[in-house]
Amino acid sequence: MILLAALALLLDEPELPPCVAQLQTEPSACDSAIATENNRRVKARLLLRRAYMRNEKYQYEEALKDLDAAVAADPAYGVAWHERSYTHGELRAFAQALADSDRDVALRPGEADAYRERAFARHGLADFSGELEDRSKVAALEPKKPDSRIARGRAALWLGRFDEARADAAEGLTLAQAAGDSNGAAKARALQTDITLWTTRSGVADPEAACRQSDKTGRFGMAGLIGDCTAAFLAAKTPRARAELLTIRALAFLVAARDQAAAIDDQAIAVALDPGEGDWHANLGGSYVMARHSWAGKRELDIAIGLKDNWGARAERAAARYNLKDYDGAAADAKKSIEMQPNDVALVVLGDLARDRGDKGSAKLYWMTAYRLGERDDDLLTRLKGVGVDDPEKEAKR
């Protein structure tokens, strides 16, 4: 405690009660101390630490309440504004995240983390110029860190500044290799690969026509399609057109590059560019569910259904609700989806619900109906084996 007290004095930070040592394993360890603390600076720091642990457990709404209280208790506490920016970002409330980061930067103008968090917020708002500005500031503050150069290169990509991106990727790789940082080197090489994908075109005269034609034909694995869609995106004049082209490119990333993370990023930027279009929220929500991030998926699907109710969004939200153990909500969405349009996603959810309550007959019926509609993935075949259907093709002919 003597060492901690000396460090707190040196950093002009107040000494905190012993409960903070237990916070990582016991998130409620400081509840009593927070409730009774009269020193506003101490209270803010305790609230921040509890919020951090809540964020680690994806309890963003609860964390946000703590952070609201923390910045109210000590408005000059930049780290609390930083964590609140992060929390708002996880909630996809990027305008609020940006405002919080602006406060953090004003309070801690020499801290790279402040600009780094603001870059995340700006990316979420599709403010690529602002993002590159912040990434450049981070790289200037951390000239020897590979990740800072690599992140700046990625920001340059979104503006079509490919020469800058290449230079940053090369410098990031050099720095990582000099430091023996294998993870940083892998990130630099991944950026180099992405630069190649973004800049390699099919050779057609009209990249936008090629990009849109792939959407009509469903041929998303064509060589150079990611580059064509990138060129079209960078040249597009309206947010709507840019969102449409990114949506097509997301499918190309999934099919041609098998890169789900890149696809989700494209879908998220489509939402940022054209937030009033329900289809973009539905696409993003469905991808989150596929990536086993059902909480975020449900949030986007709620927005999608509010903007434009349709069977696809209902089916995906049914899957998200099932994963989140909201079984009544999952059943309601799945049934509503099937009323709108019979589909395999909703049928699989209803089958899972039937299996969970011990009704194997109903589960088999739902899953076989999904099979007859054309679903053939390994997960469905495994489900069918679990209810005694080893040969679903033979069963389907009965």
Side-chain angles (χ1 to χ4, degrees):
M1 286 300 295
I2 294 174
L3 179 61
L4 289 174
L7 183 61
L9 183 62
L10 179 65
L11 298 175
D12 192 30
E13 282 290 297
E15 184 177 358
L16 302 181
C19 68
V20 296
Q22 282 76 48
L23 265 179
Q24 190 166 355
T25 54
E26 301 174 35
S28 62
C30 286
D31 287 0
S32 177
I34 290 170
T36 59
E37 182 59 60
N38 292 318
N39 183 309
R40 296 177 70 84
R41 294 182 71 222
V42 171
K43 193 180 191 77
R45 283 145 184 80
L46 291 174
L47 285 163
L48 168 72
R49 284 159 174 77
R50 188 170 70 182
Y52 179 85
M53 292 312 304
R54 286 175 165 171
N55 276 334
E56 288 289 291
K57 295 177 179 295
Y58 312 109
Q59 298 170 354
Y60 300 121
E61 297 289 355
E62 293 84 350
L64 190 57
K65 292 176 184 176
D66 277 348
L67 293 164
D68 289 346
V71 297
D74 185 2
Y77 189 24
V79 179
W81 290 104
H82 180 277
E83 189 70 12
R84 197 169 82 156
S85 178
Y86 166 82
T87 308
H88 273 133
E90 289 301 297
L91 291 166
R92 295 190 57 77
F94 292 114
Q96 293 94 321
L98 178 59
D100 288 342
S101 276
D102 284 343
R103 293 292 296 270
D104 184 22
V105 167
L107 290 164
R108 303 189 302 159
E111 286 292 330
D113 276 349
Y115 298 96
R116 194 172 0 251
E117 194 62 48
R118 190 166 70 178
F120 281 119
R122 284 176 159 169
H123 184 81
L125 291 167
D127 174 11
F128 304 126
S129 294
E131 179 188 10
L132 182 58
E133 178 185 326
D134 279 335
R135 290 298 184 187
S136 297
K137 183 68 174 179
V138 173
L141 289 167
E142 299 177 339
K144 299 299 184 183
K145 289 192 176 182
D147 281 0
S148 299
R149 290 299 293 266
I150 294 163
R152 188 173 74 174
R154 287 206 170 275
L157 267 183
W158 283 93
L159 291 167
R161 292 162 67 163
F162 299 124
D163 287 342
E164 292 177 36
R166 290 186 185 97
D168 279 333
E171 180 63 19
L173 181 58
T174 298
L175 289 169
Q177 290 173 330
D181 179 0
S182 59
N183 186 50
K187 289 179 181 178
R189 292 191 182 98
L191 174 56
Q192 290 173 329
T193 297
D194 287 343
I195 293 169
T196 300
L197 281 173
W198 285 47
T199 57
T200 301
R201 291 174 50 184
S202 67
V204 299
D206 187 344
E208 180 173 350
C211 184
R212 292 187 181 278
Q213 182 63 23
S214 71
D215 191 38
K216 294 177 182 177
T217 62
R219 298 174 64 192
F220 299 106
M222 297 170 61
L225 180 59
I226 291 172
D228 287 342
C229 290
T230 299
F233 161 74
L234 291 170
K237 302 301 183 184
T238 67
R240 175 71 180 213
R242 301 185 88 200
E244 290 170 347
L245 293 162
L246 280 183
T247 299
I248 300 168
R249 192 178 74 166
L251 292 169
F253 270 121
L254 282 173
V255 175
R258 299 185 183 278
D259 190 339
Q260 187 180 59
I264 288 175
D265 196 17
D266 276 0
Q267 290 169 334
I269 296 300
V271 167
L273 290 166
D274 189 18
E277 174 53 62
D279 286 347
W280 311 150
H281 291 279
N283 292 341
L284 179 58
S287 290
Y288 277 142
V289 175
M290 187 183 301
R292 302 186 185 281
H293 195 353
S294 293
W295 179 87
K298 179 183 176 298
R299 175 192 58 204
E300 293 300 322
L301 291 160
D302 286 344
I303 297 170
I305 290 167
L307 290 168
K308 183 166 59 177
D309 200 354
N310 65 85
W311 66 267
R314 285 278 183 174
E316 293 291 352
R317 192 170 72 174
R321 282 178 155 170
Y322 178 83
N323 294 339
L324 295 168
K325 303 186 187 306
D326 175 12
Y327 300 127
D328 289 342
D333 269 340
K335 290 174 182 176
K336 180 66 174 178
S337 175
I338 290 170
E339 287 176 7
M340 295 174 167
Q341 172 72 49
N343 66 90
D344 57 280
V345 175
L347 286 162
V348 168
V349 171
L350 290 174
D352 288 350
L353 290 165
R355 175 201 56 201
D356 293 349
R357 63 175 181 265
D359 185 353
K360 289 187 177 181
S362 293
K364 175 183 173 181
L365 177 62
Y366 286 127
W367 292 335
M368 279 305 305
T369 305
Y371 185 88
R372 291 186 178 96
L373 287 176
E375 180 57 68
R376 297 291 190 275
D377 76 359
D378 290 342
D379 287 341
L380 179 59
L381 298 181
T382 299
R383 285 174 167 89
L384 286 168
K385 283 185 179 181
V387 291
V389 181
D390 294 321
D391 187 348
E393 193 61 33
K394 181 178 179 180
E395 180 73 24
K397 294 176 181 178
R398 291 182 180 177

